Amino acid sequence: MRIARYLSISYLAALASLTALPILGCQNKSPAEQSAASQPTASAAVPAPGAKDKKQRGPLIDRSSEKADAARFEAKIAANIAKVPDPKIESPQNQSPDLDNAAFRSRVVGLIRQVAAGPEKVQCELPLQSKRPFRAVVWAYKQGEQIARGQGSDGSLCVALKDAARQAVAAAGGERDSLAGSRLVVDLPDHNESIVEFEGKGLELVQGLVPPRTYDKALLTKRIEEGKNYLMRVFDAERNGVHKYYYAQADRFEPELHTIYTASTGLTLIKLNAYNGDKSLLDKAKSAAEFMLSMQSHNEADHTAGAFFYTFDLQRKQPERKLVVGTSSKTIFTLLELHALTKDKKYLDAATLSADWLISMQRPDGSVRSYLTNKGGERWMVSKKESMLYTGQVLSALSRVHRATGNVKYLNAAAQTAGYLAGKVTNGGCWLGDEYRKPNPISSSWVILSLLDFVKATADEKFESLVLRCAGELLGKQRKKPEDIYRNGRWQGSLSSSGTGWLAEVYSELYLYCKEKGKGDCDKYKDAVVRAIRQIMQYTYTPESSFMLKNPEAASGGVFWSVMDRYVRTDAVCHAMNAYLNMLPHLGEGSLIEIPERSLAERMALASDVVPPSDDDDERDEQDDPEEPSKNKADDSAEDPVEKANAPKP
């Protein structure tokens, strides 16, 4: 039997190296400054003009730094090991050889803490011997910094852990209090076990994640509160726009504000206001809308009126000259919700003006041009490549504008694109890709949701049947293997937390529609969301999982991208929160899901079959983005120039 390896020494070393690396546009704080800061600094440092063409998405693993760190600890161990006491190990009489997983992990942590205290004797309640020696590695983190590393190997687990603990103490300085105030991480890489210390106990660690194996409505409600607080922190205080990236390990935002993520955050705050009646959340959504409206073009001369600029550069104090249909589409979603709540005409006017621009970006066959860019001057360039994400977002926006206004112009335009997507499904099936991506669950789910929006606008049974068929097929690609806690609940081909959150949001919308229309078998959608929520929770910064962070309070509630990319994406939080809020009223009491863990003996016996993950889960992946097409292919913005004479017109 082959199972994915839980955690490796090299993996922890890679994570450790991340904590020390600078991030583009970020500066390091002193420990005193960091301890005084509970809020991240938004943009204290930004690249010089002209230096940001190649954006860095987060800290990269520095293998040379990893080697340097290892050499640094080895030197400290050699210098200090002689002054670290070597205690005698004693075993309590009549100890049971059968330990459950929780007790085992806590006893491992307890033994290391005993050794670190420097006594002459230690009690070891781990009656485990192995013909294959136990290889133990002990790490210590303090205020996000790796301060120690030690290792040991012996046929007795007690001896291996003692030796690793002594080396860790030596690496941290060799004094009895060298590991005080730190968080321990323990790895038994040859025996399928990794542990992180939290409040004196040992918790399961899988690929650097602390996975919840069960949750209930109370925990979900807590995550909603934490997510709300996180979203309130991502706003720029001056402009009320929202950052896309929070680099948690450096405690910095990137020096840009994004219209689309401001819109997504505003929409989630509106949902939160409906959930808890907190008017301040609605007020914040209105403030976000002011930033969004400031990013809308009103230039009739170049036919860009109605479009929303993609980003605002905080260094140059001006918008990036890029107009993306997805940005305008998702901004429309939020503006329509604000109009429905406030009846303020400015929101509807801005939404309809933007919808007119989206119509100008449609091709005769119903497909959609992705974006316009302008490098300077009057000439705009239009992308030729097709994105299923953007096409779906446009269809959703046009369908929603029709529902809000009753204007048949928007319904006709929506019908054109709906027919185009239906043809794609008819000819190629429900598993779809485009010129940016191979077939994947994000593109496929956008087709499902956008056609569902069209169905809500038309009540067309043929399109409804198509939506339900494709939704059922995509359900079959969700992973449901309880023995694989790392992957369980996410979709095949979706590698990031944002992708899982987006799919959870889509299926929560499908569940609500199914219940409203009295369809049968609606619980299959709910069950998929319940599984996905557990998966998202293991990618959420909590006190348990923040051992590598300098400022855990600032990251709390943030959903980080992947095991190797620990930055928080704002959309990942929004998608998760939208799914949570949609489903919470429909969940039962008690445990919502329970994924049992193999027994300690069984997991130890499987050690010889351990192999690394085999499906690229640990690769850095930017394709799994529910808001944008892949950036991995060459930029096509210089293709197909648009002049005033032939520019797309509403």
Side-chain angles (χ1 to χ4, degrees):
M1 181 178 184
R2 293 167 61 117
I3 60 174
R5 180 174 185 170
Y6 279 5
L7 196 63
S8 67
I9 296 176
S10 61
Y11 175 78
L12 273 173
L15 289 182
S17 72
L18 299 185
T19 66
L21 291 180
I23 298 176
L24 187 65
C26 302
Q27 292 179 337
N28 294 327
K29 294 181 184 177
S30 70
E33 290 172 324
Q34 181 60 59
S35 63
S38 62
Q39 297 290 326
T41 301
S43 52
V46 293
K52 55 168 274 183
D53 292 334
K54 186 175 181 181
K55 297 179 182 178
Q56 186 171 335
R57 300 301 181 189
L60 299 173
I61 298 173
D62 186 344
R63 297 299 180 189
S64 62
S65 173
E66 179 184 331
K67 292 178 181 178
D69 285 343
R72 173 169 56 91
F73 287 131
E74 287 173 5
K76 287 189 173 183
I77 291 168
N80 297 322
I81 192 67
K83 63 182 180 182
V84 179
D86 186 1
K88 179 182 178 181
I89 296 173
E90 295 183 343
S91 299
Q93 294 182 349
N94 302 320
Q95 61 177 326
S96 171
D98 297 323
L99 291 175
D100 62 31
N101 289 299
F104 171 76
R105 292 178 178 123
S106 291
R107 290 183 185 184
V108 166
V109 168
L111 175 61
I112 294 167
R113 285 298 179 189
Q114 284 187 70
V115 174
E120 295 182 358
K121 300 177 182 179
V122 293
Q123 293 281 317
C124 183
E125 300 179 82
L126 297 166
L128 294 178
Q129 302 285 331
S130 174
K131 293 181 180 178
R132 182 181 189 180
F134 289 99
R135 185 160 55 105
V137 185
V138 174
W139 311 75
Y141 290 84
K142 194 170 186 177
Q143 294 182 337
E145 179 186 0
Q146 181 198 350
I147 64 167
R149 176 183 183 275
Q151 58 184 332
S153 180
D154 196 89
S156 165
L157 179 58
C158 294
V159 174
L161 289 170
K162 181 194 74 170
D163 292 345
R166 291 185 67 236
Q167 284 197 9
V169 172
E175 306 300 329
R176 292 175 185 268
D177 61 351
S178 292
L179 300 185
S182 67
R183 292 274 302 276
L184 299 177
V185 175
V186 186
D187 189 26
L188 306 178
D190 298 331
H191 286 80
N192 212 29
E193 180 66 63
S194 296
I195 303 164
V196 62
E197 179 186 30
F198 181 69
E199 294 183 345
K201 297 181 179 180
L203 304 180
E204 180 182 14
L205 194 64
V206 179
Q207 289 295 116
L209 306 173
V210 180
R213 290 185 171 271
T214 184
Y215 73 92
D216 57 15
K217 289 177 69 174
L219 181 58
L220 185 57
T221 301
K222 182 179 180 182
R223 293 289 174 264
I224 289 172
E225 180 68 15
E226 293 166 347
K228 178 203 74 176
N229 293 335
Y230 178 85
L231 290 178
M232 296 296 279
R233 293 193 293 270
V234 300
F235 282 91
D236 179 77
E238 179 183 355
R239 298 183 181 274
N240 279 308
V242 164
H243 297 275
K244 177 179 181 179
Y245 293 103
Y246 170 54
Y247 301 119
Q249 288 167 289
D251 190 27
R252 287 292 189 273
F253 292 115
E254 101 282 26
E256 296 175 331
L257 306 176
H258 290 249
T259 307
I260 187 171
Y261 300 102
T262 305
S264 295
T265 302
L267 188 62
T268 300
L269 294 181
I270 292 170
K271 283 181 172 288
L272 280 162
N273 168 253
Y275 162 67
N276 63 15
D278 185 346
K279 184 177 178 295
S280 69
L281 300 173
L282 181 57
D283 290 340
K284 195 64 175 177
K286 292 177 185 177
S287 298
E290 293 307 309
F291 171 78
M292 290 148 51
L293 293 176
S294 76
M295 294 289 282
Q296 188 171 35
S297 171
H298 293 275
N299 193 334
E300 299 283 355
D302 64 2
H303 305 282
T304 63
F308 287 88
F309 291 101
Y310 181 60
T311 62
F312 185 89
D313 189 303
L314 289 169
Q315 171 74 5
R316 297 173 176 84
K317 306 295 183 183
Q318 64 184 22
E320 176 185 4
R321 291 178 65 78
K322 184 174 183 179
L323 304 168
V324 182
V325 295
T327 298
S328 291
S329 298
K330 298 210 76 176
T331 303
I332 285 172
F333 295 1
T334 305
L335 292 173
L336 292 177
E337 291 296 324
L338 281 170
H339 176 259
L341 284 170
T342 67
K343 309 304 178 187
D344 191 328
K345 190 171 180 290
K346 69 181 179 183
Y347 300 131
L348 186 60
D349 288 345
T352 54
L353 182 63
S354 189
D356 289 339
W357 180 75
L358 291 180
I359 292 174
S360 79
M361 295 294 284
Q362 286 183 302
R363 298 187 181 96
D365 65 353
S367 62
V368 178
R369 302 173 180 92
S370 294
Y371 57 85
L372 302 178
T373 56
N374 188 315
K375 302 299 183 182
E378 297 182 356
R379 189 175 183 178
W380 285 88
M381 315 294 282
V382 63
S383 169
K384 284 184 175 180
K385 291 180 180 177
E386 178 188 23
S387 161
M388 285 289 100
L389 280 69
Y390 287 159
T391 300
Q393 289 164 1
V394 169
L395 173 56
S396 285
L398 293 173
S399 299
R400 294 184 191 198
V401 172
H402 167 71
R403 293 180 69 193
T405 65
N407 191 328
V408 71
K409 172 176 67 172
Y410 303 114
L411 182 61
N412 289 339
Q416 191 176 7
T417 296
Y420 172 77
L421 290 179
K424 283 276 189 180
V425 173
T426 300
N427 295 328
C430 298
W431 189 238
L432 295 169
D434 52 38
E435 293 178 277
Y436 290 94
R437 305 173 179 224
K438 61 185 179 181
N440 66 90
I442 306 302
S443 297
S444 302
S445 63
W446 258 114
V447 171
I448 292 168
L449 184 66
S450 63
L451 289 176
L452 179 63
D453 274 322
F454 183 69
V455 169
K456 291 177 181 178
T458 62
D460 190 306
E461 293 182 357
K462 291 180 295 184
F463 282 96
E464 181 188 69
S465 177
L466 191 64
V467 167
L468 298 179
R469 175 167 70 85
C470 286
E473 288 187 21
L474 191 57
L475 274 182
K477 294 187 179 292
Q478 188 181 32
R479 297 179 183 271
K480 304 172 187 175
K481 294 183 178 180
E483 68 274 14
D484 186 359
I485 192 71
Y486 174 49
R487 300 173 182 84
N488 189 68
R490 81 179 187 206
W491 272 259
Q492 176 186 335
S494 176
L495 304 185
S496 77
S497 61
S498 185
T500 302
W502 168 246
L503 286 154
E505 182 177 350
V506 170
Y507 275 100
S508 69
E509 292 288 344
L510 281 164
Y511 174 74
L512 296 178
Y513 177 82
C514 184
K515 295 292 287 185
E516 178 187 352
K517 298 299 180 182
K519 305 290 181 182
D521 198 18
C522 299
D523 281 351
K524 63 185 178 184
Y525 303 136
K526 180 171 74 173
D527 293 344
V529 179
V530 167
R531 286 189 290 268
I533 287 174
R534 191 217 61 82
Q535 167 75 201
I536 297 164
M537 283 184 175
Q538 69 187 25
Y539 287 88
T540 301
Y541 280 123
T542 64
E544 293 88 342
S545 64
S546 298
F547 59 93
M548 290 182 294
L549 302 187
K550 301 175 184 178
N551 191 354
E553 293 82 6
S556 177
V559 180
F560 55 88
W561 186 256
S562 69
V563 295
M564 292 299 290
D565 286 313
R566 296 282 173 140
Y567 53 73
V568 180
R569 278 270 303 260
T570 299
D571 61 311
V573 183
C574 291
H575 296 316
M577 293 285 285
N578 293 344
Y580 297 170
L581 292 164
N582 283 346
M583 295 306 301
L584 187 64
H586 305 276
L587 300 175
E589 300 301 325
S591 177
L592 298 170
I593 190 171
E594 291 189 8
I595 302 179
E597 187 178 6
R598 286 189 176 100
S599 70
L600 179 64
E602 183 181 6
R603 289 188 298 106
M604 291 291 178
L606 290 171
S608 61
D609 295 318
V610 171
V611 295
S614 59
D615 63 349
D616 298 326
D617 287 332
D618 295 334
E619 291 187 0
R620 308 171 66 85
D621 187 271
E622 286 293 337
Q623 296 188 40
D624 191 19
D625 188 336
E627 310 287 359
E628 305 169 18
S630 168
K631 303 293 179 58
N632 292 339
K633 295 190 178 181
D635 181 19
D636 66 329
S637 61
E639 300 175 1
D640 196 9
V642 176
E643 305 289 355
K644 287 184 181 180
N646 65 354
K649 298 180 176 62

